[in-house]
Amino acid sequence: DGGITQSPKYLFRKEGQNVTLSCEQNLNHDAMYWYRQDPGQGLRLIYYSQIVNDFQKGDIAEGYSVSREKKESFPLTVTSAQKNPTAFYLCASSKGDSSDEQYFGPGTRLTVT
Amino acid sequence: QQPVQSPQAVILREGEDAVINCSSSKALYSVHWYRQKHGEAPVFLMILLKGGEQKGHEKISASFNEKKQQSSLYLTASQLSYSGTYFCGTYNYGQNFVFGPGTRLSVLP
């Protein structure tokens, strides 16, 4: 079955540590996205990539980094510079055009203490 | 610029209808609608494009008024499974895709 996988589902880290969240898709989609969601809030765009080896900052990129070395993979690193990293992180992919729907992974809930 | 959604929350009885609105202060190229249940990922409902094209589930109805920069999602004969938070997302010319704050819908038996 085609889809998007994110791992792990729950992640716990100590403050000051970098952590990398995994996102893999086998939908052959060109575009991939990372969103952050805080309790009771909407989704805010962190980074997106429309093609391998290229990515753009979203609205809240500070304290995060990404890479897109393969079409299927778009890992997100939450660095120690992110002041409030505890949140629900969602990865999505689409064919790439603004008229194409986004397919979301199940999300990773990150807790930093 | 984040789109505005209204109402913020709505409570329905099964079988009742609801309308959720999404508006932008800038010209829109397309509007997306998604539904998210608590603790789960958002699920695609519909896309409305400038020029009138629509893509989405047959049972979902929506409109897109380009001049007013508004979209509305129509939920008719609501079922318990319709409960969740509805998000619109908008593409404005030259800007990133951005989601609205969401409308929380509760359908009661």
Side-chain angles (χ1 to χ4, degrees):
Chain A
D1 286 340
I4 300 179
T5 56
Q6 291 185 245
S7 60
K9 189 169 183 178
Y10 298 95
L11 192 53
F12 299 88
R13 282 292 183 270
K14 294 288 188 186
E15 196 173 312
Q17 294 179 334
N18 290 357
V19 58
T20 297
L21 280 58
S22 166
C23 177
E24 303 277 332
Q25 56 101 357
N26 60 4
L27 298 166
N28 199 31
H29 284 169
D30 288 317
M32 297 187 74
Y33 312 81
W34 273 105
Y35 294 94
R36 170 185 172 135
Q37 187 174 35
D38 294 288
Q41 303 297 313
L43 291 81
R44 292 184 291 170
L45 183 65
I46 305 173
Y47 269 99
Y48 66 100
S49 168
Q50 294 180 306
I51 196 169
V52 173
N53 292 324
D54 189 38
F55 47 83
Q56 285 77 40
K57 292 182 179 180
D59 299 320
I60 56 164
E62 187 175 347
Y64 300 97
S65 66
V66 294
S67 64
R68 185 88 187 274
E69 297 176 3
K70 297 186 299 182
K71 187 174 185 177
E72 312 81 58
S73 179
F74 192 41
L76 173 75
T77 297
V78 185
T79 74
S80 56
Q82 169 50 234
K83 297 190 187 316
N84 186 16
T86 295
F88 187 43
Y89 289 88
L90 286 156
C91 178
S93 73
S94 75
K95 289 180 183 176
D97 195 87
S98 58
S99 63
D100 295 315
E101 63 265 38
Q102 295 182 24
Y103 294 79
F104 284 83
T108 292
R109 197 167 296 277
L110 174 65
T111 302
V112 177
T113 57
Chain B
Q1 187 90 19
Q2 187 181 46
V4 175
Q5 287 187 236
S6 63
Q8 288 184 317
V10 59
I11 299 175
L12 301 174
R13 293 282 181 188
E14 262 189 300
E16 291 182 338
D17 302 338
V19 180
I20 300 173
N21 302 300
C22 176
S23 64
S24 174
S25 59
K26 295 181 181 290
L28 294 172
Y29 177 76
S30 66
V31 179
H32 297 214
W33 286 98
Y34 293 81
R35 176 174 60 216
Q36 184 181 32
K37 294 189 179 284
H38 183 70
E40 299 180 6
V43 173
F44 167 72
L45 297 176
M46 177 163 281
I47 291 174
L48 302 105
L49 301 170
K50 184 178 168 67
E53 183 181 352
Q54 295 186 0
K55 298 198 302 186
H57 296 286
E58 292 178 1
K59 294 188 177 181
I60 299 291
S61 173
S63 65
F64 181 19
N65 187 322
E66 295 172 35
K67 284 186 178 177
K68 291 187 177 180
Q69 295 158 191
Q70 294 175 347
S71 176
S72 296
L73 185 70
Y74 304 97
L75 301 169
T76 57
S78 59
Q79 303 171 18
L80 295 176
S81 61
Y82 286 13
S83 292
T85 302
Y86 289 76
F87 293 100
C88 70
T90 57
Y91 272 106
N92 302 105
Y93 290 92
Q95 296 189 344
N96 292 335
F97 181 75
V98 58
F99 278 102
T103 295
R104 186 171 297 180
L105 177 73
S106 300
V107 181
L108 305 178

